[in-house]
Amino acid sequence: MAETSGPVRTCVGCRKRASVDDLLRVVVVAGDLVPDLRRRLPGRGASLHPTAECLRAAERRRAFSRALRTSAPVEVGPLRDHVLGTSS
């Protein structure tokens, strides 16, 4: 088995394992999914490849609510803006 250089997490979109350096940490702040670029925000986080494909797969599978263990609906807008590079 190959050695990894650091922590490894699973992307909630594609379900592939990757180094934390390759994944974007996502947390819920006031009901919104926000990217945690510095990996310092409090609370439970979910990891995601910062690609449109993984974001769509995670939304389609409703993976964020499960991974973040929240029963309330979460707004994906701020995260979508960051990943897709758009502004609302």
Side-chain angles (χ1 to χ4, degrees):
M1 182 173 213
E3 288 188 38
T4 59
S5 60
V8 175
R9 302 286 184 266
T10 302
C11 173
V12 296
C14 66
R15 305 292 299 156
K16 292 183 181 172
R17 294 173 55 87
S19 167
V20 293
D21 297 331
D22 298 332
L23 297 169
L24 177 65
R25 182 172 187 259
V26 179
V27 295
V28 175
V29 176
D32 291 339
L33 280 177
V34 295
D36 183 6
L37 301 177
R38 294 177 42 223
R39 305 185 73 81
R40 298 283 184 262
L41 291 175
R44 187 171 183 86
S47 297
L48 178 78
H49 284 111
T51 64
E53 295 81 24
C54 286
L55 177 61
R56 280 193 291 270
E59 287 181 277
R60 186 178 61 247
R61 295 177 46 243
R62 297 183 187 100
F64 291 116
S65 294
R66 266 194 311 278
L68 297 169
R69 295 184 182 169
T70 179
S71 57
V74 290
E75 176 59 43
V76 187
L79 176 62
R80 185 180 298 119
D81 291 345
H82 175 78
V83 171
L84 300 178
T86 61
S87 58
S88 320

